[in-house]
Amino acid sequence: MPDPKFRSFRVDAVVLRHSDYGEADRMLTLYTRQLGKMRAIAKGARKIASRKAGHIEPFTHVKLQLAQGRAMFIITQADTVDAYMPLRDDLILTSQASYVIELLERFTSVDEREGSSTFRLLTETLSRLSSKADVWLVTRYYEMRLLDHVGFRPQLFECANCGREIKAEDQFFSFSAGGVICPRCGHGLPNVKPISEDTLKYFRHFQRSSYAEASRARPSLDVQKEAESLMQGYFTYLLERELNTPGFLKQIRS
């Protein structure tokens, strides 16, 4: 792992977003394999002749040479590893990739220094979306795995209220308890949502399976809608605000 105290070092990164900075520079928010989330300046990136500009677009996997500036890291060299071009040619895929990025941004901060497993999850998910795999499945698998990485793994095998083993029947889900609530407890608790036996089955499958195993799932449309709704509710509770991209995705799908 590079030591950011050194004057120059190299990182693998995905560009999460960028914004204009000064007269000709760009401020980048990055997620790196080596140092987790960080920010860096690409000097002159908005100039027409800039050689860095094409390498620092959002959701691009890049190798960067960084130098320690007075207040911030400065990008001195950028090379594209994968631009995930199909994500840029399809509005739904672009929006889905933006959702993946938004979730990661909301659940991580720049003072966290370990990012290797989350970085791998991010690049694998962008690759899967780029290959035009089943978008619903790719996204739900990403959500469940990201919750593991950021410390909010939902409890799906024992009741989050009484601890009894969850049986094969319709249950409840509590955002505040962080998991499934058995029927015995659920009927007396406020703010719980119903979760069908089939939806719970797929949540469990994604939580304990490899992507190759999970990709064989063929849930019904009703299960897909219920799973997506429950995950959005859980994220809204955890983040204490709604995400931006799901609403936009809903608009373009309709």
Side-chain angles (χ1 to χ4, degrees), residues 8-133:
S8 181
F9 56 93
R10 198 162 176 81
V11 293
D12 287 301
V14 171
V15 180
L16 304 184
R17 60 186 169 91
H18 61 47
S19 57
D20 293 348
Y21 189 82
E23 293 185 3
D25 306 338
R26 280 228 159 93
M27 168 84 75
L28 273 63
T29 302
L30 309 165
Y31 200 85
T32 69
R33 184 194 307 276
Q34 295 86 350
L35 298 169
K37 189 159 80 172
M38 60 190 304
R39 293 188 176 91
I41 296 289
K43 289 192 170 293
R46 286 155 57 203
K47 293 179 180 178
I48 294 174
S50 171
R51 287 184 290 181
K52 296 190 196 86
H55 300 283
I56 56 172
E57 289 300 306
F59 36 87
T60 302
H61 181 186
V62 289
K63 286 188 179 293
L64 301 174
Q65 190 72 29
L66 301 179
Q68 178 70 66
R70 287 185 179 180
M72 195 162 297
F73 298 113
I74 297 168
I75 297 169
T76 57
Q77 184 180 337
D79 300 296
T80 297
V81 176
D82 196 334
Y84 306 113
M85 291 305 295
L87 301 182
R88 303 167 198 282
D89 300 330
D90 182 307
L91 184 56
I92 288 182
L93 288 180
T94 301
S95 303
Q96 207 71 50
S98 298
Y99 172 68
V100 165
I101 295 297
E102 183 184 10
L103 263 186
L104 180 63
E105 274 217 85
R106 293 283 184 88
F107 276 109
T108 55
S109 61
V110 293
D111 56 1
E112 297 167 357
R113 287 303 187 192
E114 172 54 46
S116 58
S117 59
T118 306
F119 180 84
R120 184 169 60 252
L121 175 66
L122 174 61
T123 53
E124 287 174 350
T125 300
L126 293 175
S127 293
R128 287 163 188 156
L129 289 174
S130 189
S131 71
K132 301 190 178 181

Side-chain angles (χ1 to χ4, degrees), residues 31-245:
Y31 200 85
T32 69
R33 184 194 307 276
Q34 295 86 350
L35 298 169
K37 189 159 80 172
M38 60 190 304
R39 293 188 176 91
I41 296 289
K43 289 192 170 293
R46 286 155 57 203
K47 293 179 180 178
I48 294 174
S50 171
R51 287 184 290 181
K52 296 190 196 86
H55 300 283
I56 56 172
E57 289 300 306
F59 36 87
T60 302
H61 181 186
V62 289
K63 286 188 179 293
L64 301 174
Q65 190 72 29
L66 301 179
Q68 178 70 66
R70 287 185 179 180
M72 195 162 297
F73 298 113
I74 297 168
I75 297 169
T76 57
Q77 184 180 337
D79 300 296
T80 297
V81 176
D82 196 334
Y84 306 113
M85 291 305 295
L87 301 182
R88 303 167 198 282
D89 300 330
D90 182 307
L91 184 56
I92 288 182
L93 288 180
T94 301
S95 303
Q96 207 71 50
S98 298
Y99 172 68
V100 165
I101 295 297
E102 183 184 10
L103 263 186
L104 180 63
E105 274 217 85
R106 293 283 184 88
F107 276 109
T108 55
S109 61
V110 293
D111 56 1
E112 297 167 357
R113 287 303 187 192
E114 172 54 46
S116 58
S117 59
T118 306
F119 180 84
R120 184 169 60 252
L121 175 66
L122 174 61
T123 53
E124 287 174 350
T125 300
L126 293 175
S127 293
R128 287 163 188 156
L129 289 174
S130 189
S131 71
K132 301 190 178 181
D134 183 325
V135 170
W136 182 90
L137 192 144
V138 171
T139 306
R140 300 290 86 75
Y141 187 81
Y142 169 78
E143 289 170 340
M144 194 63 74
R145 290 303 182 181
L146 183 65
L147 286 169
D148 279 357
H149 292 184
V150 298
F152 291 105
R153 179 185 177 93
Q155 187 170 322
L156 302 178
F157 294 88
E158 296 85 27
C159 175
N161 187 61
C162 69
R164 290 186 181 89
E165 182 182 354
I166 291 295
K167 296 180 180 179
E169 59 184 332
D170 293 349
Q171 310 284 339
F172 294 92
F173 193 94
S174 168
F175 303 141
S176 58
V180 176
I181 302 290
C182 70
R184 184 172 173 177
C185 295
H187 287 296
L189 290 178
N191 303 317
V192 293
K193 300 287 185 182
I195 179 171
S196 67
E197 180 184 344
D198 283 346
T199 298
L200 177 57
K201 178 180 71 175
Y202 285 110
F203 275 177
R204 287 174 159 186
H205 183 45
F206 294 161
Q207 191 177 75
R208 62 186 175 184
S209 302
S210 68
Y211 178 76
E213 293 167 334
S215 65
R216 293 195 285 270
R218 295 293 181 269
S220 69
L221 187 59
D222 286 344
V223 166
Q224 291 184 35
K225 288 178 178 178
E226 183 179 61
E228 188 167 349
S229 176
L230 284 169
M231 292 305 280
Q232 290 308 308
Y234 191 36
F235 289 134
T236 298
Y237 174 82
L238 293 173
L239 297 166
E240 299 182 342
R241 58 180 292 190
E242 290 187 356
L243 294 153
N244 295 324
T245 42

